[in-house]
Amino acid sequence: MNSHAATDSWVERAEATLAAAGHKRGGARRTVVELLDSQQCALTAVEIEDALRGERRRVSRASIYRILDELERLRLVQRVETGQAMVRYERVCEHEEHHHHLVCDECGVVMPFSDKALESAIETLSERVPLKVSEHEIVLHGSCQDCAA
Amino acid sequence: MNSHAATDSWVERAEATLAAAGHKRGGARRTVVELLDSQQCALTAVEIEDALRGERRRVSRASIYRILDELERLRLVQRVETGQAMVRYERVCEHEEHHHHLVCDECGVVMPFSDKALESAIETLSERVPLKVSEHEIVLHGSCQDCAA
DNA sequence: GTTCCTGCAAAAGATTTGCAGTGAC
DNA sequence: GTCACTGCAAATCTTTTGCAGGAAC
């Protein structure tokens, strides 16, 4: 499930960062971290709960939100707002290409994409704007191939 | 408050589109439409309710949501997701420059910006992606000049 | 033993819906 | 008169919080 090099896998960085922040190792948190690591794209809290209910250990909704919140504070995951009712979360990889999202407004599927030209446009722009920019989020809405057919 | 040319002001287009869609003229809806027309940037439902409570006619929260929902379906307003708890809405002007948003994560202020290079990057990109793109949303997060000082 | 971690149940906050009365055409 | 519009109150849904027991160190 996990295709990173062993030495800088996201799970390991997450565990290390959590430990450095004074956290103990909790079973629920480890389970969530492992699930997030195995995902290619962003999940909602409910999707995480459902994914864990069958497979691995069950984790309560409240814990999932608490864990996601802490992971976000530590910049290990990022929120993705897709305009759907629920917020999505995905892991942040330091050495990996930054990506954004495509959302099909008909079926709700969310897919990642990345584009160099877009990133450099954002970078240039960030310096001309009355805001010290720390992050950016881009979402393209439309119909996916299945729904447009 | 309103700086459009009389012939294609957003209020007029909105009224015409609503009428064409079989709507009668409602006092609450007209009040909300006029408020949205007077705004430079996106408002939340609660901000709309508060703005109307003092000044013009009071409109119930439920009606505001229903009105915004209908205006969105007719593509007269668009949602803006800023990562704050509430969704924001703003009018969509056909002949005006498309804009996006800067959000200060400290004080919550939302500002509009626009950038040609960014728009063309999006346009080019939209054709290479497995989605029939109909809309896009870009949000830059960071600290505004007051908060960064 | 202290401090963090979890689940459960309750709370909070945003948005939606049911219903009954009012208004537009 | 009919069908849309609106407000109120209740419901729904996502996310947060309080609390008590359990686990890590």
Side-chain angles (χ1 to χ4, degrees), chain B:
Chain B
M1 285 239 184
N2 176 348
S3 57
H4 308 296
T7 45
D8 61 351
S9 79
W10 180 79
V11 199
E12 289 178 19
R13 182 164 64 93
E15 294 290 0
T17 308
L18 286 162
H23 291 286
K24 297 176 179 171
R25 285 195 216 153
R29 192 168 55 220
R30 188 180 348 219
T31 309
V32 171
V33 166
E34 282 170 9
L35 176 68
L36 287 174
D37 190 58
S38 72
Q39 297 298 309
Q40 289 307 304
C41 205
L43 295 179
T44 65
V46 177
E47 285 169 353
I48 291 171
E49 186 183 25
D50 290 344
L52 296 179
R53 179 173 294 126
E55 298 276 334
R56 321 186 193 201
R57 156 187 181 157
R58 180 176 180 290
V59 177
S60 77
R61 183 86 52 96
S63 293
I64 292 172
Y65 280 113
R66 274 189 287 237
I67 291 164
L68 290 172
D69 198 52
E70 184 60 16
L71 292 174
E72 192 194 3
R73 282 201 329 98
L74 296 171
R75 307 232 168 211
L76 290 165
V77 304
Q78 68 183 140
R79 300 161 65 93
V80 180
E81 308 263 341
T82 59
Q84 297 162 320
M86 295 177 284
V87 179
R88 289 172 176 278
Y89 294 85
E90 68 184 3
R91 67 170 191 227
V92 174
C93 292
E94 287 181 318
H95 306 307
E96 233 168 70
E97 206 170 45
H98 185 60
H99 73 255
H100 294 293
H101 300 88
L102 307 173
V103 177
C104 174
D105 293 326
E106 293 174 58
C107 69
V109 70
V110 178
M111 294 171 282
F113 77 89
S114 57
D115 185 81
K116 288 253 193 279
L118 190 58
E119 294 303 326
S120 49
I122 293 273
E123 214 167 296
T124 307
L125 163 67
S126 293
E127 278 155 34
R128 292 201 215 107
V129 117
L131 191 83
K132 194 160 142 284
V133 177
S134 58
E135 277 165 40
H136 61 270
E137 182 169 359
I138 299 172
V139 179
L140 305 191
H141 287 271
S143 310
C144 69
Q145 295 180 319
D146 288 349
C147 291

Side-chain angles (χ1 to χ4, degrees), chain A residues 23-24 26-29 58 60 63 66:
Chain A
H23 291 286
K24 296 175 179 172
R29 191 167 55 218
R58 181 176 179 292
S60 76
S63 293
R66 274 188 288 236

Side-chain angles (χ1 to χ4, degrees), chain A residues 50-64:
Chain A
D50 290 344
L52 296 179
R53 179 173 293 127
E55 298 274 333
R56 324 187 191 200
R57 154 187 182 158
R58 181 176 179 292
V59 176
S60 76
R61 184 84 54 94
S63 293
I64 292 172

Side-chain angles (χ1 to χ4, degrees), chain A residues 19 26 32 35 46 54 56 66 72 81 85 95 105 125 131 144:
Chain A
V32 171
L35 175 68
V46 176
R56 324 187 191 200
R66 274 188 288 236
E72 192 195 2
E81 309 261 343
H95 307 306
D105 293 327
L125 163 66
L131 192 83
C144 70

Side-chain angles (χ1 to χ4, degrees), chain A residues 108-129:
Chain A
V109 71
V110 178
M111 296 171 280
F113 77 89
S114 57
D115 186 81
K116 286 255 193 281
L118 189 58
E119 294 302 325
S120 50
I122 292 274
E123 213 168 297
T124 307
L125 163 66
S126 293
E127 278 154 35
R128 293 202 212 106
V129 118

Side-chain angles (χ1 to χ4, degrees), chain A residues 6-24:
Chain A
T7 44
D8 61 351
S9 79
W10 180 77
V11 199
E12 289 178 19
R13 181 163 66 92
E15 293 291 1
T17 307
L18 285 163
H23 291 286
K24 296 175 179 172

